[in-house]
Amino acid sequence: MTVPLTRLREELTEHHRQLVASELVVWTAGNVSARVPGAELMLIKPSGLPYEELTPDSMVLCDLYGEPVDGGLKPSSDVFAHAYVYRNMPQVNGVVHTHSTYATAWAARGEAIPCVLTAMADEFGGEIPIGPFALIGGDDIGRGIVETLSGHRSPAVLMRSHGVFTIGDSAKAAVKAAVMCEDVARTVHIARQLGQTLTIAPGDIDKLYDRYQNVYGQGVDR
């Protein structure tokens, strides 16, 4: 496990830099985690450490109940939410949390983002749903994420009055979903300032989603 774990630490550090570069996080808010392949373990950002100070060695190794297993830094306060997702969604290998401005504005309203863009149909397979309000520090947020996204094609959920959580079959995929979530949240917000938005018909959403997921791109990373 040494080589994959070393690589995963390096990748996770880069993913956090991508959150900063994409302007999805400020100060120390937000985090990315990754499931460790072949082990009941996860890596996650340490609590309260500025992004510019993150290194591969600073990523915290935890079990899937959110408990650190090798000492060192304290994990993110969202660790129990991430851990709950990994325990209950075995297909998920990466989780991202941000307070990105536009998507979090929708969360503050307790409103799902309607599917009014082909880019949303492609990436999210429909609306970006709203999840319940939950306090930080336990696994209540994780429960809300799992309950909201189970049976839903969206890899993103807006947790009410909190922010965005995204999932993916890799940490990179979850980061992409977070970037795309903020992009469409901004566009739909601006569109609603101009007037009524027009939702896409469910059948067309299905066709767009299928094309993007199964035909578009080179069959590796989209």
Side-chain angles (χ1 to χ4, degrees):
M1 183 168 57
T2 303
V3 173
L5 186 56
T6 298
R7 187 183 309 120
L8 199 62
R9 287 180 178 276
E10 293 169 350
E11 291 174 353
L12 207 56
T13 305
E14 284 300 317
H15 294 326
H16 283 95
R17 291 185 181 129
Q18 184 62 56
L19 296 188
V20 175
S22 301
E23 299 183 346
L24 302 187
V25 294
V26 296
W27 202 240
T28 63
N31 41 71
V32 185
S33 71
R35 188 194 296 268
V36 177
E40 294 295 300
L41 298 170
M42 57 180 276
L43 282 170
I44 193 167
K45 175 181 177 288
S47 178
L49 201 66
Y51 282 85
E52 63 270 19
E53 296 180 18
L54 294 179
T55 67
D57 288 340
S58 65
M59 299 302 156
V60 186
L61 188 65
C62 299
D63 64 23
L64 295 190
Y65 288 87
E67 297 298 330
V69 299
D70 62 354
L73 297 171
K74 184 172 71 172
S76 164
S77 58
D78 292 306
V79 66
F80 301 111
H82 289 241
Y84 187 89
V85 172
Y86 290 127
R87 292 200 311 275
N88 290 276
M89 302 183 85
Q91 77 278 17
V92 171
N93 294 308
V95 179
V96 172
H97 173 47
T98 79
H99 301 154
S100 60
T101 303
Y102 283 89
T104 301
W106 287 86
R109 291 197 298 262
E111 184 177 357
I113 304 174
C115 189
V116 298
L117 301 168
T118 58
M120 288 189 67
D122 288 346
E123 185 72 31
F124 301 98
E127 70 172 18
I128 298 175
I130 188 77
F133 175 78
L135 293 176
I136 302 168
D139 61 13
D140 287 350
I141 292 173
R143 292 176 184 275
I145 295 168
V146 171
E147 289 169 5
T148 305
L149 293 184
S150 292
H152 204 295
R153 292 190 295 205
S154 174
V157 56
L158 312 175
M159 294 300 287
R160 185 169 66 83
S161 303
H162 186 173
V164 182
F165 281 85
T166 60
I167 59 174
D169 59 8
S170 66
K172 180 179 179 180
V175 170
K176 179 193 176 188
V179 172
M180 294 295 292
C181 180
E182 178 64 3
D183 182 63
V184 299
R186 179 174 59 247
T187 302
V188 179
H189 171 78
I190 292 170
R192 293 209 337 185
Q193 308 316 298
L194 299 172
Q196 182 181 3
T197 55
L198 305 174
T199 55
I200 301 173
D204 289 331
I205 291 174
D206 290 343
K207 291 175 183 176
L208 288 162
Y209 182 76
D210 179 69
R211 180 201 66 87
Y212 186 74
Q213 299 297 323
N214 299 307
V215 178
Y216 175 80
Q218 302 302 314
V220 182
D221 289 325
R222 294 183 171 82

